[in-house]
Amino acid sequence: MPITHAFPKEELVNRLGLVRTEMKKNNLDAILISVPENIYYLTGLDHWGYFACHVLFVPQEGNMILICRQMEQVSVERYVQNADFYGFKDFENPADFIFKAVKDSKYEDSNIGIEKNSLFLTPAIYENVISKLSKANCSNCSGLVDELRQVKSPLEIDYTRKAADAADAGALAAIEAAKDGASDRDISAEMHSAMIKAGSEYPGFGPFVRMTDRLNEEHTTWRGDTMKKGDALYIEHAGSYRRYQAPMGRLVFIGEKPSDADFASDLSNRAGEAQLKAIKPGATTGDVYQAWQDVVDAAGLPEYRRHHCGYLVGIAFPPSWVGGSMVTGLAPDSKRVLKVGMVFHTHSWLMWSGKGDYFFSNTVILTEKGAEVLTNKTPTTLIVV
């Protein structure tokens, strides 16, 4: 079969140009990238080998160099169109090869940025690299590439739409499988099957599938529990296409709804609508949170607060769908300015408020006309199965 690449060469050339412009603004002659999402953004390398050391050397001039295990050579040669390859064997020191890439490119005495906030550059390798770059002026360049990834190109938006279609397929299958006597394994199996058949790859997270006695756990998932009438079922998952994530979530009631569920559902939906109206070009992430909070306050819950009501998403590899080491949230008083092409995982979460529980979340894109919900096939209104 012919090899297909995630991104056309012209898109990769444009991205590299943007990165080099930012490097120049920050007085950087070269950068060392180890965040998998950023390596993928610049090269299109999509695999699981990044659990071991992967570093992309990006000079202001000349070829990029990808340093990783020698055994990844076949994948790199097939899928990376724009970087040279330096492969180390498992008994060799990756730092030696990183330094060789810098030295071969004649940047060993330059201003070099290093992604210090990466989960994938271990302290041991970092310290070894720094010791070898004794002639260089090294600084932290974390966030430089991440910022450029926040606004999506038309191709990236198309990939996100495909991921959202798969996410909806998974949600609908999970809800169809939810019933008295079914297990959370059944739910997860049906969700996975439907998403994959709809075109999804492996997502960055989850799915998270939990029932009533485990609703307040954050990042845990199925374990073989059996549902019964009166339970609540929490599902949160993401479709993934070309590594672009489309997360969503729903709260479903089995057999019957609690007496206060209608209030919580209505409030969650009204707060969610206010949130969508606030997502517009020029607004801030804090404005979006405040629009959501104002509706909750007006409903008689002024003490109820969340740490955020969503966050930006895009490219992501496990262990999360947030796309790196940090969550860029729609958080109280946050000042990030919203731009057309940004994609969000929005939450309208009303749990443990004392006035009922409800939750839904969606993937939302900011267009010239405002917020557009991409995961729009699964209802946000009260679901009882």
Side-chain angles (χ1 to χ4, degrees):
M1 295 180 63
I3 294 172
T4 59
H5 298 284
F7 310 113
K9 287 184 178 180
E10 55 269 25
E11 184 136 350
L12 294 176
V13 168
N14 180 61
R15 293 174 181 180
L16 179 56
L18 293 173
V19 169
R20 283 174 166 163
T21 297
E22 290 302 309
M23 288 165 57
K24 188 173 183 179
K25 290 179 183 178
N26 288 275
N27 193 32
L28 294 172
D29 301 307
I31 57 176
L32 293 169
I33 295 174
S34 57
V35 171
E37 290 83 358
N38 292 339
I39 294 175
Y40 176 68
Y41 178 76
L42 286 174
T43 70
L45 180 61
D46 180 5
H47 69 163
W48 281 8
Y50 63 81
F51 73 91
C53 180
H54 272 53
V55 171
L56 181 67
F57 173 67
V58 184
Q60 187 61 252
E61 296 181 358
N63 292 347
M64 295 191 296
I65 301 173
L66 183 62
I67 303 101
C68 56
R69 294 171 78 199
Q70 181 64 45
M71 68 180 300
E72 308 294 356
Q73 183 171 1
V74 172
S75 297
V76 172
E77 289 180 348
R78 284 182 177 173
Y79 299 109
V80 175
Q81 310 171 74
N82 60 347
D84 297 335
F85 172 72
Y86 284 17
F88 56 86
K89 297 180 175 63
D90 286 349
F91 58 84
E92 294 177 313
N93 183 356
D96 291 336
F97 288 76
I98 296 169
F99 178 69
K100 176 177 169 54
V102 176
K103 187 175 181 180
D104 288 351
S105 302
K106 298 181 171 51
Y107 280 87
E108 68 269 28
D109 58 354
S110 301
N111 294 327
I112 298 177
I114 303 176
E115 287 185 326
K116 291 185 179 181
N117 289 348
S118 171
L119 293 173
F120 296 92
L121 184 64
T122 66
I125 295 174
Y126 170 77
E127 290 172 1
N128 207 329
V129 168
I130 288 295
S131 70
K132 294 177 185 297
L133 291 174
S134 58
K135 296 181 181 179
N137 177 28
C138 296
S139 60
N140 185 12
C141 70
S142 298
L144 187 150
V145 181
D146 304 67
E147 284 296 318
L148 296 174
R149 291 196 287 111
Q150 301 299 358
V151 175
K152 309 298 186 289
S153 71
L155 178 64
E156 293 175 295
I157 292 169
D158 180 61
Y159 287 169
T160 305
R161 290 184 184 278
K162 288 182 169 64
D165 287 342
D168 260 326
L172 292 169
I175 293 167
E176 178 68 24
K179 58 185 178 182
D180 187 1
S183 77
D184 52 11
R185 289 196 181 106
D186 299 328
I187 305 300
S188 301
E190 294 302 320
M191 178 188 291
H192 272 103
S193 178
M195 284 199 302
I196 293 168
K197 289 177 180 177
S200 180
E201 305 145 355
Y202 58 94
F205 249 163
F208 300 119
V209 180
R210 301 189 294 272
M211 285 180 278
T212 298
D213 63 342
R214 298 175 58 221
L215 289 181
N216 61 350
E217 297 175 5
E218 283 289 349
H219 297 114
T220 64
T221 189
W222 71 91
R223 67 179 186 187
D225 295 335
T226 300
M227 286 177 282
K228 60 184 183 300
K229 186 177 179 179
D231 272 337
L233 171 68
Y234 176 96
I235 58 173
E236 189 179 14
H237 62 289
S240 176
Y241 188 86
R242 294 291 197 184
R243 305 309 323 141
Y244 287 83
Q245 308 293 297
M248 64 178 297
R250 297 292 186 270
L251 190 68
V252 180
F253 297 102
I254 309 301
E256 61 185 18
K257 61 184 179 182
S259 59
D260 48 14
D262 287 312
F263 172 84
S265 171
D266 175 69
L267 178 53
S268 293
N269 274 275
R270 288 191 290 111
E273 284 297 318
Q275 177 190 58
L276 292 177
K277 289 178 182 178
I279 297 176
K280 54 188 177 183
T284 68
T285 45
D287 293 336
V288 178
Y289 179 87
Q290 193 59 50
W292 181 87
Q293 186 68 58
D294 286 345
V295 176
V296 175
D297 290 351
L301 293 170
E303 303 302 319
Y304 186 80
R305 292 290 186 271
R306 295 286 301 163
H307 57 291
H308 63 57
C309 65
Y311 43 81
L312 277 78
V313 292
I315 300 169
F317 287 83
S320 81
W321 58 48
V322 301
S325 306
M326 302 295 291
V327 176
T328 306
L330 301 168
D333 302 318
S334 53
K335 304 300 184 183
R336 178 180 293 271
V337 177
L338 306 190
K339 300 177 183 179
V340 172
M342 286 183 169
V343 180
F344 310 90
H345 181 203
T346 63
H347 300 69
S348 194
W349 178 296
L350 194 73
M351 304 286 283
W352 315 293
S353 68
K355 291 191 175 182
D357 296 331
Y358 204 68
F359 157 79
F360 69 87
S361 68
N362 282 309
T363 295
V364 173
I365 186 168
L366 178 52
T367 73
E368 294 282 0
K369 297 180 180 179
E372 178 188 351
V373 178
L374 301 187
T375 45
N376 54 24
K377 299 180 178 66
T378 309
T380 62
T381 49
L382 192 66
I383 302 172
V384 181
V385 296

